[in-house]
Each structure stands twice: as structure tokens, then as C-alpha cells.
Amino acid sequence: MQLGMNLNQYQTLKLTLTPELRQSINILQYSAYELIDFLKQQAVENPLLDIKENISMDFVTRNYNQTSVSSGTSNSDKDYDPIIHYSDTVITLEKHLLEQIMTHAKINEGQKNILKFLIGHLNQHGYLEIEPVNAAQILSVSMEEMEEAVFILQTLDPVGVGARNLKECLLIQTESQQDSHPLAYPIIEHHMEDLAANRYHKMAKQFNVTVQDIQEAADFIKSLNPRPCSEYHHEMTQYIIPDVIVEKVNDEHIIIVNDSMIPQISIHPIYKNNTVKMAEDYIKKKQHEITMLMNGISQRKYTLYKVTEAILEMQKDFFHYGMTKLKPMTLKDLSEQLGFHESTISRATSNKYIQTPHGLFKVKDLFSTGLSRRNSMDSESSVVIKEQIKDLIDKENKEKPISDQKIVELLMKNGIQISRRTVAKYREEMGIPGSSKRKRY
């Protein structure tokens, strides 16, 4: 066998991403907020980029799921005190507790120092994360002094702060309420596992009461707050900019790609004529970058419109009647209809929100697989099936909750073929407990 080196030529096909295409891909996957941040960053990096921010709030929606809980003060002009609100800072749990101990006449300086240390070892929900014995050793104080400080901490507002575990937190809250159920304290003290497992008959027998009495005590316990200090774990109120709006006008749906808050960009007038000859190459390069940026934004708007148009065509019943009429739809379905690659559809729908006549949705929420209908070529969206399962459970006799198998039988009467395992999966995804834990007495 002869060994040696040869020089050969081959022709191959290879897809190369141009800078323009790469720019368009990146811009397409940005949500409205991300695009705004990206453009601001580009303005920092490119001195030729003239950016004019829009201040319209017409299509901004508050995200109530992530809104921080207020501290209980009124927001009306009548109640507003400009002195108190001179520094409009968030009231943290630490600040709230420190204000109480510093103004408490019966707490001495030694206790205040211990309490400050303990407050520093509370987690975001108000639970004490250091053992009193360890805290006493660190501060070189007696266990009697430490236990007294823990007791004082647990008398502060909010009720339940300073508890070392869930049981202690619930017991503190139970003791603080004058109208607490008489069985609540002993159940929390000795039967938390039975309570969690809904062993009401067992507890009724041990306490020599009716099952209804246990049910009432359980209802009271469930009304207590296992995270009493969560309202002081603030997050900034978030607002959502819908990327697309679908409005109903005269029985027709109109698509609006929302660019009302996206800054307008252009080449700064001083550089348009390129009179600065010494930096001619640099200016041309930066002008080209701006042109690519503008083309990418235009392409994003076009793609979002076409994808939304295809979704509107496939989901006409949803836009007319709401979530119960949502049909199965996949990225592949849109890809085949539009002739776009699935990755393009994915980028166009990721992290995007759509404002519809029935509310604000993540675009991805409109996609779902389906289950077949009996004696039919049609299929039913998993989202719709979840709604039907929830509706059946909402209407059930709470004294005799329906089992997952019964739900299967009821759905089959509507022509929907589904397994018991799938029903259990959907139920768990919705946070609905099993029939034994839904039973009321």
C-alpha cells in the first residue's frame, strides 16, 4: 500500500449564516421588552444610531401574577402623606420588625441586640433558620435569655413570624385568634400527617367528635397562612407588552403587530451625508449595521404578522368563543401552512404574548396536542380536555367526589377517548387533588 499526500477538490453544499440573517434570527426571538433593551444596547455601541423612545402605554398589561403585595397603605390622594412617602422605598420584613422592637417600651437593650441577630436569620417567609441553642452560643447569652427573645419575636407582626417550622407557625396563629376552632390546636400539635392525608374518620374517633367537626377544624387550619411574611418578599410589579393584538371589529378579527413602545431608530442626521472623511470606513460600517437592524425589525414584524394570521385561521373558534374552543395545533402545522421552518415558528412564538378578545395569553399556550374523538377524525385539544375535567370536578357532589375512572367514562360519553392515567396527569397538572382528598363531610 502506497502512502502519500494528495490534493483533491470536492464540491459541497453548505448553509452559511450571513451577518444579516443572523441579525434577523436574533431579533425575531426577542419579546417586545427584550427588543427594547437590545435596541438601547445597540445605541450605546453605535454612535450613529439615533433612537427615539415611544412612551405609549396603550397596549401594556399589568402582570397580576407577579404583583407584589401592598403593605396595607391606601394609594388614594386623600390618604397620601408626602412626608411619609418622601423616600418611596419598599418596606422589607427586616425593616418592619426592627421598627417594632425599637419602639417597644418593654424590650431592653440586651433583648434588642438578640432580636436584631435573630431577625437577620429569618428566611423570606419569616421562619427562624438558626437553632436558639446555636444563637445563644454565638452571642454568649443564656438559653433563658435566648428563649425569651424568641418568644418576643413570635409576638411581633405579622403573626407567625419567628416560627421554627410549619407546625409552630400554625400554632402561633391559632393561639392568636379568639375565634379559633377548639380542635385546631390539638390537630396541629398531634395529627398533621392525618390532616394532610384527610384521615378525618380516624381523628373523629380519637377526639370522640363527628367527622363534620373535624372537617370544620380542617377548614379553619387551611385558612391559616403557612407563609405569614411572604408579603414582605417584594418583587417589582411587572408589566407585559403584548407582541401581537387581535381585535374584533364588526365580526372580523384584525391583527396588529404591537410596536407602539419599540423605539424608532434611524441614522443620526449629522452622519447621513458622511462628511467626516477621516472616519469614512468606520461610518459606512456603522451605517450598514443600522440598516441591518432596521431590516431585522421589519422582518420580525412581517413574520409575527404571518404567524398570527395562520394561528387566527386555525383557531377561529377560539378567537370567537374562548379557551374551550381551542383546537390542537403544533409548530409543524404552522410550518406546513406558511412554508416557514419550524425553528422560525418557534422563535416567532417564544416569549411572546398575544392580546385577544378573551384576554392576554402566551402565544405558546395556544399550541397543544390532541386526543382523538371516538368515531371521528377530529381531535380535541388537551387544554380543552383539562377545562372539561375541571368543570366535571367543580360540579361534583363534594360528599361523593368522582374518581378518575368515572371522569374517563363521562368524557367517553362526549366522544373523547382518554385513559385514566392521562386524566390523573391532567388533574395533577391543574393542582387538583385526588377524589379521596376532595371529599367533604
Side-chain angles (χ1 to χ4, degrees), residues 28 243-246 254-258 297-315 319 329 331 333-341 344-346 348-349 354 363 367:
L28 177 60
D243 299 272
V244 185
I245 298 102
V246 177
I254 307 300
I255 299 172
I256 304 169
V257 178
N258 183 20
I297 293 173
S298 296
Q299 184 64 37
R300 175 185 182 274
K301 186 172 183 178
Y302 170 79
T303 305
L304 286 181
Y305 183 89
K306 296 301 292 183
V307 169
T308 306
E309 188 178 46
I311 292 174
L312 180 58
E313 179 64 29
M314 289 187 176
Q315 301 287 4
F319 285 98
M329 180 178 68
L331 295 176
D333 295 333
L334 290 185
S335 175
E336 292 174 351
Q337 179 169 333
L338 292 170
F340 294 168
H341 195 276
T344 302
I345 307 294
S346 179
T349 54
I354 181 170
V363 178
F367 290 83

Side-chain angles (χ1 to χ4, degrees), residues 315-319 321-327 380 384:
Q315 301 287 4
K316 284 182 179 179
D317 289 343
F318 161 74
F319 285 98
Y321 306 109
M323 208 67 179
T324 56
K325 296 297 181 180
L326 193 67
K327 295 179 180 178
E380 197 75 45
V384 175

Side-chain angles (χ1 to χ4, degrees), residues 388-411 423 427 432-439:
Q388 293 189 27
I389 292 173
K390 184 178 182 300
D391 185 59
L392 288 171
I393 292 174
D394 287 343
K395 294 178 179 177
E396 70 184 359
N397 180 350
K398 301 305 177 185
E399 295 181 0
K400 296 180 180 179
I402 55 177
S403 65
D404 291 342
Q405 183 57 44
K406 183 63 177 179
I407 292 174
V408 169
E409 296 169 3
L410 293 172
L411 290 176
V423 168
R427 175 178 52 72
I432 300 174
S435 57
S436 62
K437 293 188 176 181
R438 298 197 308 271
K439 184 177 176 63

Side-chain angles (χ1 to χ4, degrees), residues 72-290:
T73 56
S74 172
N75 291 324
S76 66
D77 292 337
K78 181 179 178 181
D79 297 329
Y80 183 80
D81 186 336
I83 303 300
I84 293 176
H85 293 82
Y86 177 77
S87 177
D88 192 19
T89 56
V90 174
I91 298 177
T92 63
L93 175 62
E94 181 180 15
K95 182 178 179 181
H96 179 64
L97 295 173
L98 287 174
E99 285 179 350
Q100 293 178 69
I101 67 172
M102 297 307 289
T103 57
H104 200 299
K106 295 184 179 180
I107 300 178
N108 60 46
E109 287 303 315
Q111 291 172 329
K112 287 179 181 178
N113 290 331
I114 298 174
L115 285 166
K116 288 177 184 178
F117 179 83
L118 294 176
I119 289 171
H121 286 82
L122 297 175
N123 65 20
Q124 63 185 12
H125 303 303
Y127 286 90
L128 187 61
E129 293 190 318
I130 186 171
E131 289 296 327
V133 62
N134 295 333
Q137 291 174 353
I138 293 171
L139 296 179
S140 299
V141 298
S142 67
M143 274 303 299
E144 184 179 355
E145 290 175 296
M146 181 55 64
E147 290 292 352
E148 179 66 20
V150 171
F151 174 78
I152 294 172
L153 177 62
Q154 293 178 351
T155 64
L156 300 180
D157 176 75
V159 180
V161 67
R164 284 158 283 193
N165 50 55
L166 175 61
K167 179 188 290 187
E168 189 173 34
C169 179
L170 298 180
L171 289 175
I172 292 169
Q173 294 180 58
T174 301
E175 283 187 308
S176 70
Q177 296 193 28
Q178 294 181 350
D179 59 345
S180 63
H181 196 283
L183 291 173
Y185 197 98
I187 288 176
I188 296 170
E189 182 71 48
H190 302 291
H191 296 278
M192 285 292 285
E193 290 186 6
D194 291 331
L195 179 65
N198 278 27
R199 301 190 188 106
Y200 292 174
H201 286 283
K202 175 184 175 182
M203 289 186 285
K205 186 176 181 180
Q206 289 181 341
F207 286 108
N208 194 27
V209 295
T210 66
V211 177
Q212 287 77 13
D213 290 331
I214 300 296
Q215 178 79 71
E216 291 173 2
D219 290 343
F220 170 80
I221 294 170
K222 290 175 182 178
S223 72
L224 302 176
N225 188 355
R227 296 178 177 181
C229 302
S230 58
E231 67 177 274
Y232 294 97
H233 179 57
H234 283 269
E235 295 178 2
M236 292 300 294
T237 300
Q238 295 189 5
Y239 292 85
I240 293 173
I241 303 176
D243 299 272
V244 185
I245 298 102
V246 177
E247 293 184 345
K248 191 173 183 180
V249 180
N250 298 329
D251 292 330
E252 291 188 8
H253 289 97
I254 307 300
I255 299 172
I256 304 169
V257 178
N258 183 20
D259 55 5
S260 61
M261 290 194 67
I262 296 174
Q264 298 176 16
I265 63 172
S266 61
I267 299 174
H268 198 284
I270 196 172
Y271 297 106
K272 281 186 177 179
N273 297 324
N274 191 18
T275 57
V276 187
K277 298 299 181 183
M278 293 178 63
E280 184 174 353
D281 291 341
Y282 174 81
I283 291 175
K284 283 184 177 180
K285 178 185 175 183
K286 292 301 180 181
Q287 285 177 336
H288 180 63
E289 289 177 2
I290 295 172

